[in-house]
Amino acid sequence: MLYSSTRGGMQPLPFKSTVMAGLARDGGLFLPERFPDVSDRLAAWSDLGYADLAFEVMRLFADDISERDLRDIVARSYAAFSHPEVAPVRQIGPVHVLELFHGPTLAFKDVALQFLGNLFEHILAETGGELNIVAATSGDTGSAAIHGVRGRQGVRIFVMHPAGRVSPVQELQMTSVTDANVYNIALQGTFDDAQAIVKTLFGDLAFRDRHHLGAVNSINWARVLAQIVYYFHAGLQVMKRTGADRVSFAVPTGNFGDIFAGYAAALMGLPVAALVLATNENDILNRFFNTGVYRQGGVVPTLSPSMDIQVSSNFERWLYLHLGRDAAALRAQMEVFARTGEMTVAPASGEAAMDRWIRAGRADTAATLATIREFHERHGYLLDPHSAVGVAVALRQLDPEVPMVCLATAHPAKFPDAIAQAIGSAELATAPAIEALKGLPTRKTTLPNDPAAVAAFIETAIQNSRAASHS
Ligand SMILES: *Cc1c(COP(=O)(O)O)cnc(C)c1O
């Protein structure tokens, strides 16, 4: 399988090269040249356990890794989950909740980042190189990435979080990881400052090449790939349980990575009726799929911070497919958006809706809190605020003929303040993995909001670490 860039400015690459590159050098995102049709295999796949199913899906895309190695990478990635089914599906009231939060940091990003960490280590062991990951985080991505690569050979990770501006639980999930290859930087600035420093460091091509910088954000194709698996896992299981011949999914959405994986599963032949795209007040995607106008606004903080995003990096993948894989047309659209902060896209010819599958809606803070409260009172089930946005929008779109799978993207114990606001107390929002963090030794380095200071820190850390491993 080869991967081409959405901007059309480079030769297609095999899987392993796309994983190491992250973003294409022409500024585009990688997509497989085609999506294999698996409709003839769905019956057989519906009997597989999570890791076996993951292997079957991934081997279609990662065909430059031997089957033995891929099986081993996948098995190790999902052994790190605390639930024997990895991602159990539970019927709660009128919906099926797909629990994606049983990984080490209790958010769905572990599903992809555990796999990516093992994949990086495997590829580096073959090529003998090293990789220095530099990332900015507002909370969830940083901790999942740190837990994905901690202790791994050939990989170091530098994660900047805005000092004093992430939740105490999120900070502890990062700074309590004291492996030698993990560097937590508390930046004296905001998340946007941290993000700008990452951009500056990647923009310095000499620095980037000298230090083999790598990225772990959701533009990396391997992250999308790992997420395709659970759409098949949940969809096939729920169709089997209910006897339905189609299934819908509700996806709490920020960067569009998670729902794009569902889109890929539908393109591969999973019988999907609808992909419900749910946003909070930061609703650029909700507005786009209902009007065709993609217009950037300001970001407002909400109870679901991991969805507080205006410009969604993975949207470009959807747009490229929508435009019939026409890279020139995509570049023209993105150029208009970069210049004016707005672009208009027409539905495919003959279609009334913008997309075959995507149905978008939004849930504001009041609706989110009401949904947490209602599911707790009626069903004795505690939703985290991100998952509650998805459920709130899904409840407005239920079809008696089609089961609805709602993706639960985080454990409620990560967001005790929102739970307390919804049901009056955070007492029920606990998890052993979070209790176990309290009192652990922590390590972080506080740095000024200055790219040069961060670059100097990274450079020194790499030199010291190389010296230590050679002595
Ligand atoms: C990242 C995140 C999301 C949004 O997923 P995208 O792939 O960015 O759309 C939703 N919920 C939680 C808990 C997250 O961490």
Side-chain angles (χ1 to χ4, degrees), residues 56-71:
E56 293 297 334
V57 173
M58 290 174 175
R59 67 193 289 206
L60 302 171
F61 294 94
D63 54 0
D64 56 353
I65 298 181
S66 79
E67 296 200 346
R68 216 186 90 219
D69 288 342
L70 185 61
R71 224 181 241 293

Side-chain angles (χ1 to χ4, degrees), residues 74 112 308:
V74 167
D308 291 348

Side-chain angles (χ1 to χ4, degrees), residues 207-275:
F207 186 84
R208 174 176 171 175
D209 291 342
R210 185 162 73 248
H211 295 303
H212 311 282
L213 297 196
V216 287
N217 40 15
S218 66
I219 52 169
N220 197 307
W221 169 254
R223 282 189 59 181
V224 176
L225 173 58
Q227 293 170 188
I228 293 174
V229 175
Y230 53 69
Y231 286 90
F232 282 101
H233 162 78
L236 295 175
Q237 192 171 323
V238 166
M239 285 193 288
K240 199 152 124 179
R241 259 193 225 164
T242 60
D245 60 359
R246 286 178 311 158
V247 60
S248 291
F249 295 91
V251 191
T253 295
N255 248 325
F256 203 78
D258 199 0
I259 196 165
F260 187 78
Y263 203 81
L267 288 171
M268 292 167 70
L270 182 67
V272 170
L275 293 168

